[in-house]
Amino acid sequence: MPGVDIQIKSSHEQGLALLTRHWIMQTFSKQFGPVTYCKKPPTTNDPETDVAFITFQNSEDAEKAVVALREGVTLNTTWQHMTVNVTGDYKGGGGGRAKGGGGKGGGNTGGMRDWQEDEDGSRDLLKRRSNHDRRSRSRDRRDDRRDDRRGDRRDDRRDDGRDSRRDDRRDDRRDDRRDDRRDDRRDERRDDRKDDRRDDRKDDRRDDRGDDRRDDRKDDHRDDRRDNRRQDDRQGSRSRDRRDAPRDEKREAPIPEEPRSRVADPPAPPPEPPPFDFTEKLLIRFLQTKQDKPIMDQLEVLQADEFKKLPIEDMLNTVIMKQDRKTPLYKQIEEFLIKWKLSSA
């Protein structure tokens, strides 16, 4: 009958906790007819006390629903993939108002307990929410804010850790590059010192060879002069013997002298260039280390204060006039210094 509530309950261990009000209205509307109202109090998770109330638009649909509910109706909860069996009857009576069931609160319930007359729905509970509930909602908001702050701090710590690791990696790469540059400079200085020592040894060997040749020539000249003096002394003694011999003695035939091959004097050796001093060696060594650089960078070495006492202007004029691009600059400067020292000597 229109306006008569039908109360339902479930034999499930959680009662009607798995069913919602809208889902009950939709399911009963599809099976029996239009449902105008459904009231489901807050669930208690107890199958004996957990009930809901529905009202059909037509009395015929209500009668069909009551007949089916008395035998039991199986409902499938598609979102939870579970099956719930529900039973029910008219609220407060076994046969409803049309069959003299006593209306609200009267008649036999057919083995069902006499449920409460009215149950507060969610809207009624919301309207009568107390100050304690409002304080609870405030606590919830406070807890949410606290959780948000905690999450923010956790995110900040994570971001700080990520930034710290990124900064550490960047610092490591910077340190590696600095170490590489330092190692390269150290290697270059070691190579320069090695080249300097090699050049010094080469210069020393060249000087030693020059000194040996000069000493050999000097010894040869000394030996030649000694031989010449010895031969002259021998000839002079023979002449004196002939002059001092008596006149009455039978003059002996002169003994022919052996032809003496006169040794031609060797040509005078070319004058030896004086050895380079420290400043001149330093200039040549600098130019040797920069021989792979452009010619202008090599000429800048000549402008250093250490070489002011050398004839830098004449040196530059000679190099510019020769225009020799095949001979290294340090070789040209070395030749100029040799000629300059010979001319000064």
Side-chain angles (χ1 to χ4, degrees):
M1 295 177 61
V4 178
D5 292 337
I6 299 174
Q7 64 181 9
I8 62 175
K9 69 174 185 176
S10 172
S11 60
H12 194 270
E13 60 181 2
Q14 297 183 9
L16 297 175
L18 302 177
L19 307 178
T20 62
R21 183 173 64 85
H22 292 288
W23 190 81
I24 293 172
M25 291 180 64
Q26 293 176 1
T27 304
F28 278 88
S29 297
K30 290 179 181 179
Q31 293 187 7
F32 304 107
V35 176
T36 59
Y37 178 70
C38 178
K39 181 178 181 181
K40 183 176 181 294
T43 183
T44 61
N45 292 329
D46 185 3
E48 294 296 331
T49 60
D50 202 359
V51 296
F53 305 94
I54 58 175
T55 302
F56 284 91
Q57 184 176 357
N58 300 322
S59 59
E60 294 82 1
D61 298 335
E63 291 292 340
K64 291 189 294 184
V66 169
V67 172
L69 287 169
R70 286 173 181 172
E71 296 179 357
V73 178
T74 301
L75 304 178
N76 295 321
T77 58
T78 56
W79 65 91
Q80 293 179 344
H81 303 288
M82 297 180 65
T83 301
V84 180
N85 295 323
V86 296
T87 59
D89 202 344
Y90 288 108
K91 180 180 179 182
R97 289 184 180 177
K99 296 183 186 271
K104 283 180 117 180
N108 188 9
T109 60
M112 298 177 61
R113 63 168 289 182
D114 190 9
W115 305 102
Q116 297 177 357
E117 291 293 333
D118 291 322
E119 294 288 346
D120 292 335
S122 58
R123 291 188 178 86
D124 296 332
L125 291 175
L126 183 63
K127 291 178 182 178
R128 293 197 300 270
R129 191 174 295 275
S130 62
N131 293 331
H132 175 73
D133 295 334
R134 285 195 293 273
R135 285 196 298 272
S136 299
R137 193 163 58 246
S138 300
R139 271 197 301 274
D140 292 339
R141 288 196 295 270
R142 186 171 62 249
D143 294 340
D144 293 339
R145 289 194 295 271
R146 185 174 60 248
D147 293 338
D148 292 339
R149 288 193 295 271
R150 186 181 297 114
D152 292 340
R153 287 194 296 271
R154 185 173 58 249
D155 294 339
D156 292 339
R157 286 193 298 271
R158 186 174 58 245
D159 294 339
D160 292 339
R162 189 185 304 113
D163 294 339
S164 299
R165 289 191 296 273
R166 186 174 59 247
D167 294 339
D168 292 340
R169 289 193 295 269
R170 185 171 60 246
D171 293 338
D172 292 338
R173 289 193 295 269
R174 186 185 302 113
D175 294 338
D176 291 339
R177 290 194 295 270
R178 185 171 59 246
D179 293 340
D180 292 338
R181 289 194 296 270
R182 186 172 59 246
D183 293 339
D184 292 339
R185 288 194 296 270
R186 187 186 302 113
D187 294 339
E188 290 178 359
R189 289 194 295 270
R190 185 173 59 247
D191 294 338
D192 291 340
R193 288 194 296 270
K194 190 183 299 182
D195 294 337
D196 292 339
R197 288 193 296 270
R198 186 185 302 111
D199 295 336
D200 291 338
R201 288 193 298 269
K202 186 168 27 180
D203 294 339
D204 292 339
R205 286 194 298 271
R206 186 174 59 246
D207 295 339
D208 293 339
R209 287 194 298 269
D211 294 339
D212 292 339
R213 288 193 296 270
R214 185 170 58 252
D215 294 338
D216 293 339
R217 287 193 295 271
K218 189 182 297 183
D219 293 339
D220 293 338
H221 293 320
R222 187 183 301 111
D223 294 339
D224 291 338
R225 286 194 297 272
R226 186 171 57 249
D227 293 339
N228 291 331
R229 282 196 301 271
R230 187 182 299 116
Q231 191 172 2
D232 292 339
D233 293 340
R234 189 182 301 116
Q235 290 178 359
S237 62
R238 288 177 182 176
S239 300
R240 282 193 300 275
D241 292 340
R242 285 195 303 271
R243 188 175 56 250
D244 296 338
R247 295 182 180 273
D248 55 352
E249 292 180 357
K250 187 177 181 179
R251 182 173 297 179
E252 297 178 355
I255 301 173
E257 296 180 357
E258 296 179 357
R260 185 179 61 179
S261 60
R262 183 175 180 82
V263 179
D265 294 334
E272 288 291 330
F276 293 142
D277 58 8
F278 176 76
T279 304
E280 295 166 348
K281 287 184 179 181
L282 183 63
L283 174 61
I284 295 173
R285 192 172 302 154
F286 277 170
L287 294 175
Q288 284 178 345
T289 57
K290 291 181 174 292
Q291 61 180 337
D292 297 332
K293 300 295 181 63
I295 188 65
M296 296 305 298
D297 294 342
Q298 299 182 43
L299 292 176
E300 289 180 357
V301 177
L302 303 176
Q303 306 298 327
D305 296 336
E306 292 83 355
F307 311 123
K308 284 184 176 181
K309 66 178 184 178
L310 298 177
I312 301 298
E313 186 175 357
D314 297 339
M315 195 180 301
L316 290 174
N317 292 333
T318 303
V319 172
I320 293 172
M321 291 297 294
K322 289 180 67 174
Q323 293 292 324
D324 189 356
R325 299 182 181 274
K326 295 182 180 180
T327 306
L329 182 60
Y330 78 92
K331 287 287 187 181
Q332 301 181 36
I333 297 300
E334 185 177 4
E335 294 176 359
F336 174 82
L337 289 175
I338 291 173
K339 294 179 180 179
W340 175 68
K341 292 175 77 66
L342 288 175
S343 63
S344 298

